[in-house]
PDB file of all heavy atoms in Angstrom:
ATOM      1  N   LEU P  22     103.846 122.836  82.156  1.00 97.00           N
ATOM      2  CA  LEU P  22     103.574 124.287  81.818  1.00 97.00           C
ATOM      3  C   LEU P  22     103.740 125.083  83.089  1.00 97.00           C
ATOM      4  O   LEU P  22     104.308 126.209  83.061  1.00 97.00           O
ATOM      5  CB  LEU P  22     102.126 124.409  81.323  1.00 97.00           C
ATOM      6  CG  LEU P  22     101.884 123.981  79.892  1.00 97.00           C
ATOM      7  CD1 LEU P  22     100.392 124.128  79.595  1.00 97.00           C
ATOM      8  CD2 LEU P  22     102.719 124.691  78.906  1.00 97.00           C
ATOM      9  N   VAL P  23     103.341 124.592  84.239  1.00 97.00           N
ATOM     10  CA  VAL P  23     103.509 125.348  85.491  1.00 97.00           C
ATOM     11  C   VAL P  23     104.930 125.477  85.886  1.00 97.00           C
ATOM     12  O   VAL P  23     105.358 126.445  86.483  1.00 97.00           O
ATOM     13  CB  VAL P  23     102.700 124.647  86.629  1.00 97.00           C
ATOM     14  CG1 VAL P  23     102.960 125.338  87.951  1.00 97.00           C
ATOM     15  CG2 VAL P  23     101.197 124.646  86.290  1.00 97.00           C
ATOM     16  N   LEU P  24     105.798 124.497  85.523  1.00 97.00           N
ATOM     17  CA  LEU P  24     107.156 124.391  85.902  1.00 97.00           C
ATOM     18  C   LEU P  24     108.106 124.972  84.779  1.00 97.00           C
ATOM     19  O   LEU P  24     109.304 124.817  84.833  1.00 97.00           O
ATOM     20  CB  LEU P  24     107.651 123.041  86.316  1.00 97.00           C
ATOM     21  CG  LEU P  24     106.906 122.483  87.574  1.00 97.00           C
ATOM     22  CD1 LEU P  24     107.342 121.007  87.800  1.00 97.00           C
ATOM     23  CD2 LEU P  24     107.234 123.339  88.796  1.00 97.00           C
ATOM     24  N   GLN P  25     107.521 125.591  83.694  1.00 95.00           N
ATOM     25  CA  GLN P  25     108.327 125.966  82.547  1.00 95.00           C
ATOM     26  C   GLN P  25     109.354 126.958  82.928  1.00 95.00           C
ATOM     27  O   GLN P  25     110.465 127.033  82.316  1.00 95.00           O
ATOM     28  CB  GLN P  25     107.370 126.602  81.518  1.00 95.00           C
ATOM     29  CG  GLN P  25     108.053 127.055  80.216  1.00 95.00           C
ATOM     30  CD  GLN P  25     108.408 125.881  79.319  1.00 95.00           C
ATOM     31  OE1 GLN P  25     107.630 125.413  78.543  1.00 95.00           O
ATOM     32  NE2 GLN P  25     109.639 125.402  79.501  1.00 95.00           N
ATOM     33  N   HIS P  26     109.192 127.745  84.064  1.00 93.00           N
ATOM     34  CA  HIS P  26     110.202 128.679  84.431  1.00 93.00           C
ATOM     35  C   HIS P  26     111.437 128.016  84.863  1.00 93.00           C
ATOM     36  O   HIS P  26     112.553 128.678  84.933  1.00 93.00           O
ATOM     37  CB  HIS P  26     109.660 129.514  85.594  1.00 93.00           C
ATOM     38  CG  HIS P  26     109.323 128.744  86.843  1.00 93.00           C
ATOM     39  ND1 HIS P  26     108.177 127.988  86.943  1.00 93.00           N
ATOM     40  CD2 HIS P  26     109.932 128.592  87.986  1.00 93.00           C
ATOM     41  CE1 HIS P  26     108.163 127.429  88.101  1.00 93.00           C
ATOM     42  NE2 HIS P  26     109.219 127.750  88.750  1.00 93.00           N
ATOM     43  N   ARG P  27     111.467 126.767  85.113  1.00 95.00           N
ATOM     44  CA  ARG P  27     112.673 126.039  85.560  1.00 95.00           C
ATOM     45  C   ARG P  27     113.551 125.477  84.408  1.00 95.00           C
ATOM     46  O   ARG P  27     114.596 125.008  84.682  1.00 95.00           O
ATOM     47  CB  ARG P  27     112.252 124.896  86.538  1.00 95.00           C
ATOM     48  CG  ARG P  27     111.489 125.296  87.762  1.00 95.00           C
ATOM     49  CD  ARG P  27     111.434 124.189  88.790  1.00 95.00           C
ATOM     50  NE  ARG P  27     112.692 123.843  89.379  1.00 95.00           N
ATOM     51  CZ  ARG P  27     113.293 124.332  90.345  1.00 95.00           C
ATOM     52  NH1 ARG P  27     112.693 125.340  90.983  1.00 95.00           N
ATOM     53  NH2 ARG P  27     114.446 123.960  90.794  1.00 95.00           N
ATOM     54  N   GLY P  28     112.939 125.577  83.204  1.00 92.00           N
ATOM     55  CA  GLY P  28     113.734 125.132  82.057  1.00 92.00           C
ATOM     56  C   GLY P  28     113.043 125.332  80.754  1.00 92.00           C
ATOM     57  O   GLY P  28     111.907 124.935  80.597  1.00 92.00           O
ATOM     58  N   GLN P  29     113.760 125.925  79.820  1.00 91.00           N
ATOM     59  CA  GLN P  29     113.170 126.297  78.481  1.00 91.00           C
ATOM     60  C   GLN P  29     113.866 125.611  77.327  1.00 91.00           C
ATOM     61  O   GLN P  29     113.483 125.851  76.204  1.00 91.00           O
ATOM     62  CB  GLN P  29     113.233 127.786  78.311  1.00 91.00           C
ATOM     63  CG  GLN P  29     112.550 128.577  79.394  1.00 91.00           C
ATOM     64  CD  GLN P  29     112.839 130.035  79.359  1.00 91.00           C
ATOM     65  OE1 GLN P  29     112.396 130.819  80.223  1.00 91.00           O
ATOM     66  NE2 GLN P  29     113.690 130.539  78.381  1.00 91.00           N
ATOM     67  N   ASP P  30     114.844 124.797  77.630  1.00 91.00           N
ATOM     68  CA  ASP P  30     115.730 124.181  76.551  1.00 91.00           C
ATOM     69  C   ASP P  30     115.111 122.961  75.953  1.00 91.00           C
ATOM     70  O   ASP P  30     115.168 122.796  74.719  1.00 91.00           O
ATOM     71  CB  ASP P  30     117.078 123.827  77.168  1.00 91.00           C
ATOM     72  CG  ASP P  30     118.034 123.284  76.132  1.00 91.00           C
ATOM     73  OD1 ASP P  30     118.481 123.993  75.270  1.00 91.00           O
ATOM     74  OD2 ASP P  30     118.260 122.052  76.134  1.00 91.00           O
ATOM     75  N   ALA P  31     114.438 122.103  76.751  1.00 94.00           N
ATOM     76  CA  ALA P  31     113.766 120.844  76.255  1.00 94.00           C
ATOM     77  C   ALA P  31     112.845 120.413  77.175  1.00 94.00           C
ATOM     78  O   ALA P  31     112.736 120.820  78.345  1.00 94.00           O
ATOM     79  CB  ALA P  31     114.992 119.834  76.003  1.00 94.00           C
ATOM     80  N   ALA P  32     111.959 119.487  76.738  1.00 97.00           N
ATOM     81  CA  ALA P  32     110.939 118.877  77.579  1.00 97.00           C
ATOM     82  C   ALA P  32     110.640 117.506  77.130  1.00 97.00           C
ATOM     83  O   ALA P  32     110.882 117.081  75.994  1.00 97.00           O
ATOM     84  CB  ALA P  32     109.596 119.710  77.425  1.00 97.00           C
ATOM     85  N   GLY P  33     110.170 116.661  78.061  1.00 97.00           N
ATOM     86  CA  GLY P  33     109.899 115.254  77.763  1.00 97.00           C
ATOM     87  C   GLY P  33     108.916 114.675  78.727  1.00 97.00           C
ATOM     88  O   GLY P  33     108.777 115.136  79.919  1.00 97.00           O
ATOM     89  N   ILE P  34     108.115 113.752  78.210  1.00 98.00           N
ATOM     90  CA  ILE P  34     107.133 112.985  79.088  1.00 98.00           C
ATOM     91  C   ILE P  34     107.325 111.498  78.781  1.00 98.00           C
ATOM     92  O   ILE P  34     107.478 111.083  77.581  1.00 98.00           O
ATOM     93  CB  ILE P  34     105.679 113.380  78.768  1.00 98.00           C
ATOM     94  CG1 ILE P  34     105.410 114.838  79.249  1.00 98.00           C
ATOM     95  CG2 ILE P  34     104.689 112.430  79.426  1.00 98.00           C
ATOM     96  CD1 ILE P  34     104.013 115.361  78.878  1.00 98.00           C
ATOM     97  N   ALA P  35     107.273 110.725  79.801  1.00 98.00           N
ATOM     98  CA  ALA P  35     107.291 109.243  79.674  1.00 98.00           C
ATOM     99  C   ALA P  35     106.153 108.664  80.484  1.00 98.00           C
ATOM    100  O   ALA P  35     106.018 109.103  81.674  1.00 98.00           O
ATOM    101  CB  ALA P  35     108.650 108.570  80.104  1.00 98.00           C
ATOM    102  N   THR P  36     105.368 107.824  79.990  1.00 98.00           N
ATOM    103  CA  THR P  36     104.240 107.202  80.688  1.00 98.00           C
ATOM    104  C   THR P  36     104.484 105.648  80.725  1.00 98.00           C
ATOM    105  O   THR P  36     105.144 105.052  79.878  1.00 98.00           O
ATOM    106  CB  THR P  36     102.900 107.484  80.061  1.00 98.00           C
ATOM    107  OG1 THR P  36     102.912 107.057  78.663  1.00 98.00           O
ATOM    108  CG2 THR P  36     102.664 108.978  80.098  1.00 98.00           C
ATOM    109  N   GLY P  37     103.876 105.070  81.770  1.00 96.00           N
ATOM    110  CA  GLY P  37     104.007 103.633  81.923  1.00 96.00           C
ATOM    111  C   GLY P  37     102.612 102.953  81.849  1.00 96.00           C
ATOM    112  O   GLY P  37     101.648 103.407  82.355  1.00 96.00           O
ATOM    113  N   GLU P  38     102.728 101.837  81.080  1.00 92.00           N
ATOM    114  CA  GLU P  38     101.480 100.984  80.828  1.00 92.00           C
ATOM    115  C   GLU P  38     101.874  99.601  80.980  1.00 92.00           C
ATOM    116  O   GLU P  38     102.392  99.037  80.021  1.00 92.00           O
ATOM    117  CB  GLU P  38     100.921 101.399  79.469  1.00 92.00           C
ATOM    118  CG  GLU P  38      99.543 100.862  79.253  1.00 92.00           C
ATOM    119  CD  GLU P  38      99.001 101.346  77.877  1.00 92.00           C
ATOM    120  OE1 GLU P  38      99.828 101.568  76.942  1.00 92.00           O
ATOM    121  OE2 GLU P  38      97.722 101.446  77.798  1.00 92.00           O
ATOM    122  N   GLY P  39     101.738  99.002  82.178  1.00 86.00           N
ATOM    123  CA  GLY P  39     102.222  97.651  82.403  1.00 86.00           C
ATOM    124  C   GLY P  39     103.718  97.611  82.286  1.00 86.00           C
ATOM    125  O   GLY P  39     104.446  98.335  82.920  1.00 86.00           O
ATOM    126  N   ASN P  40     104.273  96.681  81.441  1.00 89.00           N
ATOM    127  CA  ASN P  40     105.664  96.609  81.231  1.00 89.00           C
ATOM    128  C   ASN P  40     106.139  97.327  80.035  1.00 89.00           C
ATOM    129  O   ASN P  40     107.211  97.085  79.417  1.00 89.00           O
ATOM    130  CB  ASN P  40     106.120  95.077  81.093  1.00 89.00           C
ATOM    131  CG  ASN P  40     106.101  94.435  82.427  1.00 89.00           C
ATOM    132  OD1 ASN P  40     106.398  95.040  83.451  1.00 89.00           O
ATOM    133  ND2 ASN P  40     105.907  93.097  82.451  1.00 89.00           N
ATOM    134  N   ARG P  41     105.437  98.339  79.674  1.00 93.00           N
ATOM    135  CA  ARG P  41     105.715  99.167  78.460  1.00 93.00           C
ATOM    136  C   ARG P  41     105.804 100.591  78.835  1.00 93.00           C
ATOM    137  O   ARG P  41     104.927 101.099  79.516  1.00 93.00           O
ATOM    138  CB  ARG P  41     104.668  98.873  77.358  1.00 93.00           C
ATOM    139  CG  ARG P  41     104.864  99.763  76.100  1.00 93.00           C
ATOM    140  CD  ARG P  41     103.800  99.377  75.076  1.00 93.00           C
ATOM    141  NE  ARG P  41     104.121  98.132  74.498  1.00 93.00           N
ATOM    142  CZ  ARG P  41     103.469  97.555  73.424  1.00 93.00           C
ATOM    143  NH1 ARG P  41     102.465  98.242  72.901  1.00 93.00           N
ATOM    144  NH2 ARG P  41     103.760  96.370  72.970  1.00 93.00           N
ATOM    145  N   PHE P  42     106.798 101.319  78.283  1.00 96.00           N
ATOM    146  CA  PHE P  42     106.911 102.763  78.423  1.00 96.00           C
ATOM    147  C   PHE P  42     106.547 103.462  77.103  1.00 96.00           C
ATOM    148  O   PHE P  42     106.994 102.927  76.008  1.00 96.00           O
ATOM    149  CB  PHE P  42     108.305 103.195  78.862  1.00 96.00           C
ATOM    150  CG  PHE P  42     108.708 102.749  80.254  1.00 96.00           C
ATOM    151  CD1 PHE P  42     109.961 102.363  80.502  1.00 96.00           C
ATOM    152  CD2 PHE P  42     107.802 102.838  81.303  1.00 96.00           C
ATOM    153  CE1 PHE P  42     110.327 101.995  81.804  1.00 96.00           C
ATOM    154  CE2 PHE P  42     108.105 102.455  82.563  1.00 96.00           C
ATOM    155  CZ  PHE P  42     109.434 102.061  82.832  1.00 96.00           C
ATOM    156  N   HIS P  43     105.961 104.548  77.118  1.00 97.00           N
ATOM    157  CA  HIS P  43     105.785 105.525  75.961  1.00 97.00           C
ATOM    158  C   HIS P  43     106.528 106.786  76.349  1.00 97.00           C
ATOM    159  O   HIS P  43     106.341 107.355  77.403  1.00 97.00           O
ATOM    160  CB  HIS P  43     104.325 105.744  75.741  1.00 97.00           C
ATOM    161  CG  HIS P  43     103.528 104.533  75.635  1.00 97.00           C
ATOM    162  ND1 HIS P  43     103.286 103.791  74.501  1.00 97.00           N
ATOM    163  CD2 HIS P  43     102.770 103.837  76.586  1.00 97.00           C
ATOM    164  CE1 HIS P  43     102.488 102.757  74.735  1.00 97.00           C
ATOM    165  NE2 HIS P  43     102.211 102.789  76.030  1.00 97.00           N
ATOM    166  N   MET P  44     107.322 107.334  75.322  1.00 97.00           N
ATOM    167  CA  MET P  44     108.016 108.504  75.671  1.00 97.00           C
ATOM    168  C   MET P  44     108.095 109.373  74.438  1.00 97.00           C
ATOM    169  O   MET P  44     108.211 108.993  73.302  1.00 97.00           O
ATOM    170  CB  MET P  44     109.456 108.178  76.068  1.00 97.00           C
ATOM    171  CG  MET P  44     110.360 109.393  76.431  1.00 97.00           C
ATOM    172  SD  MET P  44     111.758 109.031  77.353  1.00 97.00           S
ATOM    173  CE  MET P  44     112.684 108.008  76.216  1.00 97.00           C
ATOM    174  N   HIS P  45     108.025 110.724  74.695  1.00 97.00           N
ATOM    175  CA  HIS P  45     108.215 111.760  73.733  1.00 97.00           C
ATOM    176  C   HIS P  45     108.970 112.890  74.297  1.00 97.00           C
ATOM    177  O   HIS P  45     108.638 113.381  75.373  1.00 97.00           O
ATOM    178  CB  HIS P  45     106.867 112.283  73.155  1.00 97.00           C
ATOM    179  CG  HIS P  45     107.013 113.434  72.137  1.00 97.00           C
ATOM    180  ND1 HIS P  45     107.438 113.206  70.866  1.00 97.00           N
ATOM    181  CD2 HIS P  45     106.884 114.749  72.305  1.00 97.00           C
ATOM    182  CE1 HIS P  45     107.551 114.347  70.275  1.00 97.00           C
ATOM    183  NE2 HIS P  45     107.202 115.323  71.104  1.00 97.00           N
ATOM    184  N   LYS P  46     110.073 113.326  73.643  1.00 96.00           N
ATOM    185  CA  LYS P  46     110.845 114.388  74.133  1.00 96.00           C
ATOM    186  C   LYS P  46     111.529 115.116  72.959  1.00 96.00           C
ATOM    187  O   LYS P  46     111.806 114.481  71.894  1.00 96.00           O
ATOM    188  CB  LYS P  46     111.895 113.905  75.155  1.00 96.00           C
ATOM    189  CG  LYS P  46     112.858 112.813  74.609  1.00 96.00           C
ATOM    190  CD  LYS P  46     113.887 112.469  75.699  1.00 96.00           C
ATOM    191  CE  LYS P  46     114.859 111.434  75.175  1.00 96.00           C
ATOM    192  NZ  LYS P  46     115.886 111.083  76.228  1.00 96.00           N
ATOM    193  N   ALA P  47     111.822 116.398  73.132  1.00 95.00           N
ATOM    194  CA  ALA P  47     112.396 117.195  72.045  1.00 95.00           C
ATOM    195  C   ALA P  47     112.913 118.474  72.641  1.00 95.00           C
ATOM    196  O   ALA P  47     112.574 118.895  73.771  1.00 95.00           O
ATOM    197  CB  ALA P  47     111.442 117.380  70.844  1.00 95.00           C
ATOM    198  N   SER P  48     113.723 119.214  71.824  1.00 93.00           N
ATOM    199  CA  SER P  48     114.119 120.567  72.223  1.00 93.00           C
ATOM    200  C   SER P  48     112.915 121.572  72.109  1.00 93.00           C
ATOM    201  O   SER P  48     112.102 121.381  71.253  1.00 93.00           O
ATOM    202  CB  SER P  48     115.312 121.012  71.339  1.00 93.00           C
ATOM    203  OG  SER P  48     116.396 120.232  71.597  1.00 93.00           O
ATOM    204  N   GLY P  49     112.961 122.533  72.992  1.00 93.00           N
ATOM    205  CA  GLY P  49     111.968 123.631  72.888  1.00 93.00           C
ATOM    206  C   GLY P  49     111.122 123.742  74.118  1.00 93.00           C
ATOM    207  O   GLY P  49     111.210 122.981  75.055  1.00 93.00           O
ATOM    208  N   LEU P  50     110.255 124.730  74.072  1.00 94.00           N
ATOM    209  CA  LEU P  50     109.243 124.920  75.145  1.00 94.00           C
ATOM    210  C   LEU P  50     108.158 123.833  75.184  1.00 94.00           C
ATOM    211  O   LEU P  50     108.007 123.126  74.152  1.00 94.00           O
ATOM    212  CB  LEU P  50     108.545 126.273  74.992  1.00 94.00           C
ATOM    213  CG  LEU P  50     109.397 127.487  75.081  1.00 94.00           C
ATOM    214  CD1 LEU P  50     108.658 128.719  74.686  1.00 94.00           C
ATOM    215  CD2 LEU P  50     110.094 127.676  76.391  1.00 94.00           C
ATOM    216  N   VAL P  51     107.594 123.652  76.297  1.00 96.00           N
ATOM    217  CA  VAL P  51     106.581 122.580  76.519  1.00 96.00           C
ATOM    218  C   VAL P  51     105.486 122.655  75.415  1.00 96.00           C
ATOM    219  O   VAL P  51     105.121 121.664  74.792  1.00 96.00           O
ATOM    220  CB  VAL P  51     105.980 122.624  77.842  1.00 96.00           C
ATOM    221  CG1 VAL P  51     104.826 121.584  78.034  1.00 96.00           C
ATOM    222  CG2 VAL P  51     107.036 122.354  78.947  1.00 96.00           C
ATOM    223  N   ARG P  52     105.002 123.857  75.172  1.00 95.00           N
ATOM    224  CA  ARG P  52     103.921 124.069  74.232  1.00 95.00           C
ATOM    225  C   ARG P  52     104.294 123.714  72.804  1.00 95.00           C
ATOM    226  O   ARG P  52     103.418 123.378  71.966  1.00 95.00           O
ATOM    227  CB  ARG P  52     103.398 125.474  74.232  1.00 95.00           C
ATOM    228  CG  ARG P  52     104.466 126.450  73.755  1.00 95.00           C
ATOM    229  CD  ARG P  52     104.028 127.975  73.864  1.00 95.00           C
ATOM    230  NE  ARG P  52     104.994 128.809  73.318  1.00 95.00           N
ATOM    231  CZ  ARG P  52     105.252 130.044  73.751  1.00 95.00           C
ATOM    232  NH1 ARG P  52     104.575 130.488  74.774  1.00 95.00           N
ATOM    233  NH2 ARG P  52     106.171 130.787  73.148  1.00 95.00           N
ATOM    234  N   ASP P  53     105.574 123.767  72.501  1.00 94.00           N
ATOM    235  CA  ASP P  53     106.075 123.459  71.148  1.00 94.00           C
ATOM    236  C   ASP P  53     106.484 122.032  70.945  1.00 94.00           C
ATOM    237  O   ASP P  53     106.518 121.477  69.901  1.00 94.00           O
ATOM    238  CB  ASP P  53     107.299 124.392  70.858  1.00 94.00           C
ATOM    239  CG  ASP P  53     106.977 125.823  70.868  1.00 94.00           C
ATOM    240  OD1 ASP P  53     105.802 126.190  70.428  1.00 94.00           O
ATOM    241  OD2 ASP P  53     107.790 126.607  71.362  1.00 94.00           O
ATOM    242  N   VAL P  54     106.844 121.371  72.064  1.00 96.00           N
ATOM    243  CA  VAL P  54     107.332 119.973  71.976  1.00 96.00           C
ATOM    244  C   VAL P  54     106.159 118.958  71.792  1.00 96.00           C
ATOM    245  O   VAL P  54     106.298 117.992  71.022  1.00 96.00           O
ATOM    246  CB  VAL P  54     108.120 119.606  73.252  1.00 96.00           C
ATOM    247  CG1 VAL P  54     108.423 118.102  73.361  1.00 96.00           C
ATOM    248  CG2 VAL P  54     109.408 120.380  73.263  1.00 96.00           C
ATOM    249  N   PHE P  55     105.058 119.294  72.390  1.00 97.00           N
ATOM    250  CA  PHE P  55     103.950 118.213  72.335  1.00 97.00           C
ATOM    251  C   PHE P  55     102.794 118.715  71.501  1.00 97.00           C
ATOM    252  O   PHE P  55     102.253 119.778  71.630  1.00 97.00           O
ATOM    253  CB  PHE P  55     103.407 117.986  73.800  1.00 97.00           C
ATOM    254  CG  PHE P  55     104.497 117.489  74.758  1.00 97.00           C
ATOM    255  CD1 PHE P  55     105.205 118.359  75.575  1.00 97.00           C
ATOM    256  CD2 PHE P  55     104.848 116.165  74.690  1.00 97.00           C
ATOM    257  CE1 PHE P  55     106.240 117.943  76.426  1.00 97.00           C
ATOM    258  CE2 PHE P  55     105.902 115.696  75.568  1.00 97.00           C
ATOM    259  CZ  PHE P  55     106.497 116.569  76.460  1.00 97.00           C
ATOM    260  N   ARG P  56     102.438 117.805  70.580  1.00 95.00           N
ATOM    261  CA  ARG P  56     101.284 118.021  69.735  1.00 95.00           C
ATOM    262  C   ARG P  56     100.195 116.871  69.974  1.00 95.00           C
ATOM    263  O   ARG P  56     100.518 115.990  70.834  1.00 95.00           O
ATOM    264  CB  ARG P  56     101.671 117.868  68.261  1.00 95.00           C
ATOM    265  CG  ARG P  56     102.594 119.050  67.840  1.00 95.00           C
ATOM    266  CD  ARG P  56     101.811 120.327  67.610  1.00 95.00           C
ATOM    267  NE  ARG P  56     102.663 121.440  67.168  1.00 95.00           N
ATOM    268  CZ  ARG P  56     103.213 122.356  67.867  1.00 95.00           C
ATOM    269  NH1 ARG P  56     103.003 122.371  69.167  1.00 95.00           N
ATOM    270  NH2 ARG P  56     103.939 123.297  67.284  1.00 95.00           N
TER     271      ARG P  56
END
């Protein structure tokens, strides 16, 4: 959200838990991509 001024086209987050990754990404602003 703080860095939203650097890009408005798409957003994504990936987290690591041991040898497993979880990821969610989509087109849009940060507030719209993540529920």
Side-chain angles (χ1 to χ4, degrees):
L22 286 178
V23 174
L24 297 176
Q25 182 74 87
H26 61 284
R27 300 190 67 87
Q29 301 168 185
D30 181 72
I34 292 176
T36 57
E38 192 174 27
N40 282 332
R41 175 177 290 186
F42 292 142
H43 308 274
M44 183 162 65
H45 176 76
K46 58 180 181 176
S48 293
L50 299 173
V51 174
R52 69 186 182 211
D53 300 323
V54 169
F55 300 99
R56 294 286 184 260

